[in-house]
């Protein structure tokens, strides 16, 4: 049974931990508000960009003259998984869920005889995937020196992905990130970045607006497709930032409550042990007095 001194030291230690987790929860809550605003503000533009490209792609015949980002390489053998995670931990299952989704997709592709490569954004994804897919990692991006992710960073990552695609390093690129729903819910997502998915033909009889483009659809797509890669990356990184802070706030709130429960249990044990020691001393004094 631990001594009173040991219990006192442990109670003090848990109280110090509780102060840290409570402070981290408050910091995460403050950061979440700003990150959530950025994520929500970026969604309409990214969604509209997707819709415009889908509308243009539906009017263009995918052939030899089409943009490679739309037509693809004509093969489906080498897949690049772009896994975006956080630079820090202590955020519950946020990083684990993204890595698990990427591993599951990689296993499905490998079972089909495909080649899988990994492009990792964030320290935590790199640490997790090094253990199982070290040979498949082709690039890692460290964002620890950036407090917030700007569009220029997403643009640089997008340019790297496009350059690798043009060099023939892969055929399909799929982005993995976590979409922010609320502080309690963050859903891992898989989005095909390259080549752009062409929507299925509209059902017969569906009304469609007649739009004339100047310049032509091909010229517009050649300009918009590289920008779309950067926009979707930027959206994913903003969603990740909000999801990370939401998951950290929830995890630190749970840790703070658990520390409080532990302090209560340890205090109860301390009081019982102290009372038992006092009772034992009284019994020894009474027994000694009666023996005289």
């Amino acid at each position: 049974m631990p001594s009173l001194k040991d219990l006192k030291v442990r109670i003090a230690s848990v109280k110090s931990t509780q102060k840290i987790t409570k402070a981290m929860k408050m910091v995460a809550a403050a950061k979440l508000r700003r990150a959530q605003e950025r994520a929500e503000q970026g969604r309409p533009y990214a969604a509209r960009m997707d819709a415009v490209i889908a509308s243009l792609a539906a009017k263009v015949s995918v052939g030899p003259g089409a943009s490679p980002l739309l037509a693809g390489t004509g093969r489906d053998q080498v897949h690049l998984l772009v896994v975006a995670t956080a630079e820090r931990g202590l955020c519950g299952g946020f990083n684990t869920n993204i890595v698990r989704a990427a591993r599951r997709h990689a296993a499905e592709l490998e079972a089909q005889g495909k080649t899988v490569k990994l492009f990792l954004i964030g320290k935590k994804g790199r640490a997790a995937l090094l253990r199982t897919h070290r040979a498949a990692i082709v690039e890692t991006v460290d964002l620890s020196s950036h407090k917030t992710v700007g569009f220029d960073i997403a643009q640089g990552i997008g340019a790297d992905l496009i350059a690798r695609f043009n060099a023939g390093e892969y055929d399909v690129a799929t982005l993995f990130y976590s979409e922010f729903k609320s502080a309690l819910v963050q859903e891992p997502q898989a989005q095909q970045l390259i080549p752009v998915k062409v929507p299925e033909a509209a059902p017969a009889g569906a009304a469609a607006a007649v739009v004339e483009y100047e310049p032509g659809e091909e010229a517009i797509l050649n300009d918009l497709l590289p920008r779309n890669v950067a926009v979707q990356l930027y959206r994913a990184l903003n969603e990740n930032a909000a999801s990370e802070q939401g998951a950290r706030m929830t995890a630190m709130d749970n840790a703070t409550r658990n520390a409080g429960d532990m302090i209560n249990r340890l205090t109860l044990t301390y009081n019982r042990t102290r009372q038992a020691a006092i009772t034992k001393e009284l019994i020894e004094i009474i027994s000694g007095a009666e023996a005289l």
Side-chain angles (χ1 to χ4, degrees):
M1 190 175 190
S3 65
L4 288 173
K5 183 179 179 181
D6 293 338
L7 288 170
K8 199 170 182 179
V9 168
R10 191 172 180 190
I11 290 171
S13 174
V14 176
K15 283 183 177 179
S16 298
T17 302
Q18 187 185 42
K19 289 179 182 178
I20 294 171
T21 56
K22 188 175 181 180
M24 289 184 68
K25 173 194 168 185
M26 295 173 66
V27 171
K31 289 183 177 180
L32 172 62
R33 192 176 299 109
R34 295 191 294 270
Q36 184 177 351
E37 288 174 358
R38 286 195 298 271
E40 291 175 347
Q41 289 169 0
R43 286 173 186 170
Y45 183 83
R48 189 61 181 165
M49 175 75 84
D50 256 349
V52 168
I53 287 179
S55 174
L56 288 167
K59 295 177 174 61
V60 173
S61 58
V62 179
S67 170
L69 295 178
L70 177 64
T73 61
R75 301 182 302 275
D76 186 29
Q77 181 59 33
V78 183
H79 287 253
L80 181 70
L81 308 188
V82 184
V83 185
T85 56
E87 295 291 336
R88 299 168 56 204
L90 297 176
C91 48
F94 165 72
N95 293 305
T96 304
N97 291 336
I98 298 173
V99 171
R100 185 184 293 119
R103 280 176 175 164
R104 189 184 303 118
H105 189 66
E108 291 172 359
L109 291 172
E110 289 170 348
Q112 299 170 13
K114 312 290 186 183
T115 302
V116 174
K117 296 181 179 181
L118 297 175
F119 188 105
L120 307 181
I121 304 173
K123 186 189 299 181
K124 289 301 174 181
R126 179 168 68 251
L129 290 167
L130 272 174
R131 295 192 294 270
T132 56
H133 294 79
R134 180 183 292 271
I137 298 174
V138 297
E139 184 61 71
T140 59
V141 179
D142 187 356
L143 301 178
S144 58
S145 59
H146 302 278
K147 290 184 179 180
T148 58
V149 178
F151 182 71
D152 57 332
I153 297 172
Q155 209 166 20
I157 297 173
D160 189 6
L161 291 175
I162 293 172
R164 291 174 183 273
F165 177 72
N166 292 334
E169 294 186 18
Y170 63 90
D171 303 316
V172 180
T174 305
L175 174 63
F176 289 86
Y177 66 99
S178 184
E179 184 178 5
F180 177 80
K181 299 291 186 181
S182 70
L184 296 174
V185 181
Q186 304 88 33
E187 293 182 359
Q189 301 290 333
Q191 178 184 1
Q192 182 173 312
L193 275 182
I194 301 174
V196 173
K197 277 191 173 182
V198 179
E200 297 180 0
V210 177
V211 181
E212 274 192 28
Y213 293 95
E214 178 64 33
E217 290 90 343
E218 294 86 353
I220 297 174
L221 279 173
N222 288 337
D223 182 63
L224 285 185
L225 285 171
R227 181 183 295 271
N228 181 60
V229 173
V231 167
Q232 300 307 325
L233 278 167
Y234 184 57
R235 175 192 179 182
L237 293 175
N238 280 333
E239 294 282 350
N240 260 11
S243 298
E244 177 191 353
Q245 299 304 332
R248 179 171 292 116
M249 187 181 75
T250 302
M252 292 302 101
D253 183 50
N254 292 335
T256 301
R257 288 202 303 269
N258 291 339
D261 294 340
M262 184 176 291
I263 290 169
N264 292 336
R265 290 196 301 270
L266 288 171
T267 302
L268 183 61
T269 304
Y270 175 83
N271 291 337
R272 286 177 175 173
T273 304
R274 182 169 174 272
Q275 187 61 46
I278 293 171
T279 304
K280 183 180 178 182
E281 289 177 1
L282 289 173
I283 290 173
E284 290 175 351
I285 291 170
I286 294 170
S287 299
E290 289 180 350
L292 294 176

